Amino acid sequence: MPKSGSTAKISRRTALAGLSAGAALLAMPRLGRAADETIRIGFPTPLTGPFAAEARDQVKCAELAVKLVNDKGGIGGRKVELLVRDDKLNAGEAATRTLELIEKDKVHAVVGALSSAVQLAVNEVTRARGVIYVSISQSDTINEAKDFSKYTFHEALNPHMTTSAVARQTLKKGMKVAHLVADYAYGHEMLRGFKRAQATIGADNVGEILHPFGAADYSTFMPRLMSMRPDVLCISNFGRDQANAIKQAVDFGVKQQMKIVVPVILHNQRLAVGPDVFEGVVGGANYYWGLETQSKTAADFNAAFKAANAGAIPTDYGAYGYSGVGSLLAAMQTAGGTDTDKVVDALEKLQYDLTKGPQHYRKCDHQSVQSVLVLESKKKSAMANDNDLFAILANDAGSDDMLRSCSELGHAT
Amino acid sequence: MDLSLIIMQLLSGIALGAVLVITALGLTIVFGMLGVVNFAHGALFMIGAYAGLYLASLTGSFWWGLLLAPILMGAFGMLIEFVLIRRLYGRSIDDPLLLTFGLSYILVEGVRIVFGSDGIPFPTPPQLIGVLDLGIGFFPRYRLFVIALVAVVLLLLWLALEKTRIGLIVRAGARDPMIMQVLGVDIGRVWLAIFGLGVGLAALGGVLAGPMRSVNPEMGSLVLAEAFVVTVIGGLGSIVGAVVAGLMVGISISLVALFAPEMATIVMFALMAVVLLIRPQGLFGVRGRTT
């Protein structure tokens, strides 16, 4: 993109802005030069709104990834800086902030966004500007050919991966399945994933209810869900919606009739409503701190996070912030700097293990191939301590088989 | 679609409406008597939930929280009236509106600082956990309790306003404060009490909603929008209006959820639009009221 000063016609306003910026630069010459040397990573995430708890964990972990690299002397002697922006869970806000990060703050890459709709907006902007974007949102639309670009990377799990892993653990042939689904991209994709898994397993769909995103009350959906008499209820929503929906389902006695499963079981939401409500709920996850007994990397990650955050443990969505920023920085390290093409190349070849075992970005769609956990929420009496929330039912190792094929996503193979 | 399902659905709607009624009531009473549009009502609802939770954990019983939180919050409301709102009487309607709007931001941010922005679990009182078999289906005990409690509060409020001397003063004060002052009534004290009552009702709504929804700093903003819709449908300042409209909204949401769940939230606004087209002053509102 041309800088404001280099366009042919300079408006009075641009000239004034340029002049004052120039004056500011003269006033602080040292700061100006230092900024050129720093590697800047833009990090839009919904710090306010119903996903705020998850977003704050992402920031903490992303900062940890940056700190660890800086402590080792940075990348080629250059320090790394994380520029966190609140996308307010709004696609328009996210696009504006991302554009600002690129145009004004001159970031070298963007990592972040939690909601699927917001992720699409960030991807549009980064794609148009040729800036690398590592998404940590659980939605894979940007991996499909129409939204994909060589600058797009997807570090998070995707709906296909989590729903099939959860379905394998919980569904059996002939079971009846009902769905309560948030009416936006995330919910629709999770529903699609579950239905696909159901078809493979041979379980029957008995009904679907779409609920408005961000609803506070789910009671009005419960009588109808109960009347469908399913064996399993899949609740596909996120953040506070998950906490409220599960709580109210339990109030209505749903658990006596059927099992509740979710595509992604959230650490923070389990904390927000307590063990009694979540007891027995099964869901997928990218990370759980309890993995440390099985994985050395998990133990190291937990220890580093504890040291930086007064003994707190990292959460699932937090881990995404760490691995998203961490994998990007590792690629920059290999590429020896921030040259976009070289970093893209390095990311495509990268084999990384930051939180839970080996991961790599698949060449055709840049989806991170990684393990999927299936967790079950423990009952209160089975918890060894306040952090002991889940039992690990399965830890499916990463493989191409758990992803939709590249041709299915519309990529040339 | 069988009858029992529709009855269960109606009952969920009434339970939903009961929380709306109690919250909208505080908003409408304060507007009706004081002419103050209280934008901090949602934030006070939220603080009510936190206060209820805090008092319940302090005393070890939900019931103390349910009793004390609205009373303490009512006192807090009086403090707000005395320190802030009082200075703005007689000015345009925008001034208290902006003041309470700003106040709501301060309150929400304050709670974020003290309790964090994650939700906090608010356990259902042990006596009310589980479902009750109604013969045609199971319904959560706690929601039945909410319906009953709201009915009792409404009855008490009605008795207080219609049958007591204080109620008489309040009603007269709303109609003509000047004459009341001439008659030797300290109308300032009446307004103080009314604002306290409004905030107490918001807090009661918050404590009641606590065990049903997760308790978090943003829980008030959605409720504020709902309470305004109910108040507008019922007619600004009308107590009967708030009750009828609250139940109407709850039941509409519930019945729409049965047939077109995606539309469940929009129906509330559609209902408001229709009512405003037919009766701009709301169902029980008084035409041409000025403040």
Side-chain angles (χ1 to χ4, degrees), chain A residues 326-395:
Chain A
S327 61
L328 174 70
L329 293 180
M332 284 180 170
Q333 201 77 266
T334 320
T338 53
D339 182 274
T340 302
D341 286 332
K342 282 186 191 159
V343 177
V344 167
D345 198 45
L347 274 166
E348 284 183 346
K349 294 197 179 90
L350 190 70
Q351 300 285 333
Y352 59 107
D353 179 358
L354 292 166
T355 59
K356 57 174 179 175
Q359 286 182 245
H360 70 270
Y361 290 105
R362 181 164 73 166
K363 178 97 168 92
C364 72
D365 68 343
H366 293 174
Q367 166 63 42
S368 175
V369 180
Q370 57 184 299
S371 60
V372 183
L373 298 176
V374 180
L375 307 176
E376 179 170 28
S377 195
K378 287 188 177 180
K379 68 164 120 179
K380 200 171 179 185
S381 57
M383 289 168 58
N385 57 56
D386 282 352
N387 288 329
D388 186 20
L389 309 181
F390 305 120
I392 301 175
L393 295 186
N395 183 1

Side-chain angles (χ1 to χ4, degrees), chain A residues 49 53 56 183 209-210 212 214-217 219-221 223-224 227 240 244 247-248 251-253 256 271-274, chain B residues 5 8-9 12 16 117-122 124 131 139-140 143 211-214 216 218 222 254 257-258 261-262 265:
Chain A
R56 266 181 305 104
D183 193 7
I209 292 184
L210 295 181
D217 202 284
S219 63
T220 55
F221 308 120
R224 175 126 169 259
S227 76
R240 219 164 258 158
N244 277 334
K247 173 136 180 62
Q248 291 171 25
D251 284 348
F252 271 77
Q256 276 107 295
L271 291 179
V273 289
Chain B
L5 176 58
M8 294 304 286
Q9 201 73 33
S12 329
L16 187 63
S117 41
D118 302 348
I120 301 181
F122 196 144
T124 313
V131 286
F139 202 78
R143 285 186 192 247
M212 295 191 265
R213 306 168 182 187
S214 67
N216 58 69
E218 286 91 27
L222 208 63
S254 184
L258 194 55
E262 306 89 319
T265 357

Side-chain angles (χ1 to χ4, degrees), chain A residues 235-316:
Chain A
I235 301 183
S236 295
N237 54 18
F238 191 84
R240 219 164 258 158
D241 289 6
Q242 179 178 79
N244 277 334
I246 294 180
K247 173 136 180 62
Q248 291 171 25
V250 171
D251 284 348
F252 271 77
V254 158
K255 272 206 294 208
Q256 276 107 295
Q257 262 190 37
M258 61 197 96
K259 185 159 191 67
I260 298 178
V261 310
V262 295
V264 180
I265 195 161
L266 293 165
H267 191 115
N268 286 319
Q269 302 314 323
R270 156 60 188 80
L271 291 179
V273 289
D276 303 334
V277 173
F278 262 68
E279 183 185 331
V281 175
V282 173
N286 58 313
Y287 187 74
Y288 172 56
W289 72 273
L291 207 56
E292 66 183 15
T293 53
Q294 303 178 17
S295 155
K296 167 86 168 62
T297 358
D300 292 346
F301 170 49
N302 287 345
F305 187 86
K306 276 181 185 164
N309 293 283
I313 49 150
T315 66
D316 37 24

Side-chain angles (χ1 to χ4, degrees), chain A residues 162-198:
Chain A
T162 53
T163 53
S164 58
V166 170
R168 261 201 307 280
Q169 285 298 317
T170 52
L171 302 185
K172 285 190 187 72
K173 194 174 165 57
M175 270 187 169
K176 289 187 286 179
V177 186
H179 296 272
L180 178 63
V181 179
D183 193 7
Y184 73 114
Y186 175 89
H188 298 166
E189 287 173 25
M190 292 300 178
L191 176 63
R192 185 190 63 199
F194 270 130
K195 284 169 88 171
R196 200 181 151 117
Q198 275 167 236

Side-chain angles (χ1 to χ4, degrees), chain B residues 3-289:
Chain B
L3 187 66
S4 62
L5 176 58
I6 293 176
I7 294 172
M8 294 304 286
Q9 201 73 33
L10 269 175
L11 208 52
S12 329
I14 293 170
L16 187 63
V19 180
L20 285 178
V21 167
I22 212 78
T23 317
L25 209 56
L27 198 64
T28 213
I29 286 177
V30 167
F31 179 79
M33 311 285 176
L34 275 59
V36 170
V37 180
N38 184 10
F39 255 85
H41 202 70
L44 292 160
F45 169 94
M46 176 271 296
I47 293 186
Y50 273 92
L53 184 59
Y54 180 72
L55 290 165
S57 65
L58 208 66
T59 57
S61 157
F62 168 78
W63 307 105
W64 283 113
L66 183 66
L67 180 73
L68 295 178
I71 294 173
L72 288 177
M73 287 298 290
F76 180 55
M78 287 173 157
L79 184 73
I80 294 174
E81 199 273 353
F82 189 74
V83 178
L84 298 169
I85 311 276
R86 176 158 294 198
R87 280 143 233 284
L88 303 178
Y89 291 142
R91 294 217 229 161
S92 89
I93 195 165
D94 312 341
D95 292 9
L97 190 152
L98 287 171
L99 176 92
T100 51
F101 190 68
L103 182 65
S104 75
Y105 270 82
I106 295 171
L107 294 175
V108 170
E109 212 50 52
V111 168
R112 278 209 190 106
I113 292 168
V114 178
F115 294 97
S117 41
D118 302 348
I120 301 181
F122 196 144
T124 313
Q127 302 87 338
L128 296 173
I129 287 178
V131 286
L132 200 67
D133 190 354
L134 300 177
I136 47 160
F138 297 96
F139 202 78
R141 283 169 201 271
Y142 183 76
R143 285 186 192 247
L144 291 172
F145 161 76
V146 168
I147 297 175
L149 185 87
V150 169
V152 170
V153 170
L154 288 179
L155 184 70
L156 289 177
L157 204 64
W158 179 78
L159 286 175
L161 279 175
E162 294 293 326
K163 305 286 175 195
T164 65
R165 203 182 117 77
I166 300 168
L168 186 70
I169 294 173
V170 167
R171 279 180 293 139
R175 192 160 295 178
D176 197 334
M178 187 81 83
I179 289 289
M180 292 309 288
Q181 255 159 335
V182 171
L183 289 173
V185 174
D186 184 353
I187 202 76
R189 271 168 57 191
V190 175
W191 286 344
L192 185 73
I194 289 296
F195 198 83
L197 176 66
V199 174
L201 284 170
L204 179 62
V207 185
L208 285 178
M212 295 191 265
R213 306 168 182 187
S214 67
V215 176
N216 58 69
E218 286 91 27
M219 69 187 288
S221 50
L222 208 63
V223 169
L224 181 69
E226 289 171 348
F228 267 116
V229 169
V230 168
T231 311
V232 168
I233 293 176
L236 283 164
S238 164
I239 294 173
V240 183
V243 176
V244 173
L247 290 174
M248 226 167 90
V249 167
I251 292 170
S252 317
I253 290 178
S254 184
L255 289 184
V256 169
L258 194 55
F259 301 105
E262 306 89 319
M263 300 290 157
T265 357
I266 302 168
V267 66
M268 172 168 90
F269 298 100
L271 197 66
M272 178 170 77
V274 171
V275 168
L276 285 180
L277 281 174
I278 300 167
R279 269 184 76 85
Q281 71 274 39
L283 294 176
F284 295 87
V286 185
R287 193 181 278 274
R289 189 202 148 96

